[in-house]
Each structure stands twice: as structure tokens, then as C-alpha cells.
Amino acid sequence: MKLHHLAGVLLLPALLAGCGSSNHDFTTVRQGEVSINFEDGAVLLHANDQPKAKIAANGGFSIAGKPVTLTEPQRELFKQYYGDAVSIRDEGIATGKAGAAMAGHAIGDVVSGLIHGNPDQIGPTIKARAGKVTAQATQICLAFGDLRTAQDAISSQVEAFRPYATITADNVQDCLKETSKATDSITAH
């Protein structure tokens, strides 16, 4: 692996870190224009010119602190949305950490390969590690698609939720494209 291609490997954790950031009880998941916040065990949704909406783990939904009346099937859809969002957050954080660890290993692999006169072994080792991380990142993008499916099911049944249904097919595709670009950058050489 040429040293200038190491930059692609080292940029992957930065891409993955965009999946989530955490500050104790507050976490944000971002993909394009979509931002989902987690605070005090609830999913917070923001939409242009709309008050903050909140989805609780039990499927409760409120807007501006006022509960929205739901049927039991609707509450189940909100539970699914909540679970999907939490899974994305947790996987994003874990993948970001794995990416950062992989970058640290990559630097060590380069130094070791150069010191021991084995520069040809650097690339395959780094590619193998990076492949695992990019596979995890792809799974996050697919889970983001699942979240969109849950969002669409809710918005078809709960009119009050519609302004908060901001995840588009383009958001999911952009996530997959960015992950693919990172993978291509790593495996190109």
C-alpha cells in the first residue's frame, strides 16, 4: 500500500464518526440533512417550523410536550421506530470506535512494515481490517433504510407525525455511496 493511500484508511473513522456523537445522556445521529437526537432515553425529532417531537421507549409520542393519542398498533410502530433508531445509534458508535482502532492499527502496520522491510504486507493487512469496518458501516446504512420504512408506516397512520418524516430514499442512498467511496478508496491499491 502506498503511503498516500493510507489517507483513505485514516479518513474512514472520520466518516463513521459522523454517524454519531455522544455526550453522556445526549447523542445525535446524522445522515445528510436528517438529525435524530437521543436525550434522557427518548428519541427527539426536529422538523423545520415545527415544535420538538419526542418518541419514548414505550411507543409514546408527544409534540411540544403534549402527548398524541395513539391506538395500540400505532404505539407499536413508534416502538419499532424507537428500537431502529437506538440500534443505529449504538452500531454507529461501535463502528466509529472500531474505525478509530483500525486507524491506529493501520499506522502501526505501516511503521512495522517499513521497519521490518516488508512494505508489501502493509496493504493486505490494512485492507482486511478496513473491510470489516466498512461492512459494519454498510449495515448501518441498511438499518437507516429500515428506520425510513418505520417512519413511512407511521406517517401513513399518524398525521401529526408527518412533518417529522424527513428521512428520504436519497439519505439512505447517500449513506451507502459514502461507505462505498470509503471502501473503494481503501481497496483501490
Side-chain angles (χ1 to χ4, degrees):
M1 172 179 275
K2 296 179 182 176
L3 291 180
H4 69 276
H5 296 295
L6 181 61
V9 172
L10 298 177
L11 288 175
L12 181 60
L15 168 69
L16 297 174
C19 293
S21 59
S22 179
N23 180 8
H24 300 288
D25 293 333
F26 184 81
T27 307
T28 299
V29 173
R30 288 186 184 90
Q31 175 55 41
E33 299 294 317
V34 177
S35 176
I36 301 168
N37 299 306
F38 299 84
E39 187 174 284
D40 298 327
V43 173
L44 304 179
L45 302 173
H46 304 276
N48 291 336
D49 301 321
Q50 298 294 320
K52 182 171 54 175
K54 182 177 183 179
I55 301 173
N58 68 1
F61 178 60
S62 61
I63 300 174
K66 297 176 186 170
V68 174
T69 303
L70 302 172
T71 65
E72 193 53 38
Q74 291 169 336
R75 185 174 295 279
E76 290 300 317
L77 289 172
F78 278 103
K79 284 182 188 178
Q80 179 66 45
Y81 185 98
Y82 179 90
D84 289 345
V86 168
S87 292
I88 291 168
R89 177 201 63 194
D90 293 349
E91 286 297 319
I93 291 169
T95 303
K97 287 178 181 178
M102 187 261 324
H105 288 293
I107 292 169
D109 291 340
V110 169
V111 171
S112 177
L114 294 175
I115 289 173
H116 293 102
N118 299 320
D120 294 341
Q121 293 178 352
I122 297 169
T125 302
I126 292 173
K127 285 180 186 180
R129 288 185 182 155
K132 292 177 186 175
V133 175
T134 56
Q136 284 178 291
T138 299
Q139 290 305 309
I140 293 169
C141 296
L142 296 174
F144 201 65
D146 293 341
L147 185 64
R148 178 178 178 252
T149 300
Q151 164 201 272
D152 292 350
I154 293 169
S155 65
S156 73
Q157 295 186 31
V158 181
E159 185 175 341
F161 179 78
R162 289 181 189 147
Y164 304 94
T166 59
I167 302 170
T168 67
D170 288 342
N171 297 132
V172 177
Q173 289 305 312
D174 289 346
C175 182
L176 289 166
K177 285 177 190 174
E178 290 301 316
T179 302
S180 179
K181 277 193 231 177
T183 302
D184 292 346
S185 173
I186 292 164
T187 59
H189 299 282

